[in-house]
Amino acid sequence: QVQLQESGPGLVKPSETLSLTCTVSGASISSYYWSWIRQPPGKGLEWIGYIYYSVSTNYNPSLKSRVTISADTSKSQFSLKLSSVTAADTAVYYCARPHRMGEFAFDIWGQGTMVSVSS
Amino acid sequence: EIVLTQSPATLSLSPGETATLSCRASQSVDIYLAWYQQKPGQAPRLLIYDASNRAPGIPARFSGSGSGTDFTLTISSLEPEDFAVYYCQQRRNWPPVTFGQGTRLEIK
């Protein structure tokens, strides 16, 4: 059974870098578009980007200049870094995996981690 | 970027009734549309992929239809646990993958 677990600071100061890690159990972090998705409080879902085969990435153009997604296969983890954060980046951040290789219908999600941006 | 518009924003129904939720795309997404259910404090749950395919373990009362720009999620004989927020999502043109703004299904 594949499980995902997000971890990282729950509070980040404005202008700093948000850093989160998704630990994967029950699967290898390859072959799928391992993704980060976020949800501001009371709002909808926003896809941030993915990592594929641990080296290939693709990002939401609206965030591309500030986002880096990387992977550590030895630890079965992939990570999100979002730089120069503002209050608008306050959200629940989810890591997720699609139900099939090469596509984006996400059937496996982490529980989500709330990140607040505040001084 | 493909914009998905869901309607209505809120739908009030009683258990046992049938819910019809709509998702309209700003340009064709072929059949590459998924539906999710989200309950408070939980991650979204995949219900339907590729417009009409139920994900494993999803009850048969959930069905999806449509292609191109107009899609429908139908929930027949509503159960108390079906009252939640529903999102559609397209994967036809990316990046980015995009989601609709959601429809809240509430108990009348």
Side-chain angles (χ1 to χ4, degrees), chain A residues 92-114:
Chain A
V92 175
Y93 286 76
Y94 296 100
C95 53
R97 195 200 79 172
H99 76 118
R100 285 188 308 209
M101 288 185 275
E103 69 136 280
F104 291 103
F106 301 99
D107 70 331
I108 300 175
W109 297 68
Q111 66 185 28
T113 187
M114 179 68 200

Side-chain angles (χ1 to χ4, degrees), chain A residues 7-34:
Chain A
S7 59
L11 181 64
V12 181
K13 290 182 168 56
S15 79
E16 295 190 344
T17 296
L18 177 160
S19 296
L20 297 174
T21 296
C22 181
T23 301
V24 179
S25 58
S28 169
I29 52 168
S30 59
S31 308
Y32 290 84
Y33 293 142
W34 298 90

Side-chain angles (χ1 to χ4, degrees), chain A residues 39 43-45 47 50 58-60 94 99-100 103-107 109-110, chain B residues 1 34 36 38 42-44 46 49-50 87 89 91 94-97 99 101:
Chain A
Q39 185 172 36
K43 297 187 178 180
L45 299 158
W47 177 79
Y50 74 70
N58 211 316
Y59 303 132
N60 190 321
Y94 296 100
H99 76 118
R100 285 188 308 209
E103 69 136 280
F104 291 103
F106 301 99
D107 70 331
W109 297 68
Chain B
E1 172 175 328
Y36 298 84
Q38 188 178 32
Q42 297 184 14
L46 179 65
Y49 64 93
D50 293 349
Y87 294 95
Q89 175 234 315
R91 66 174 181 94
W94 58 272
V97 169
F99 293 85
Q101 83 280 14

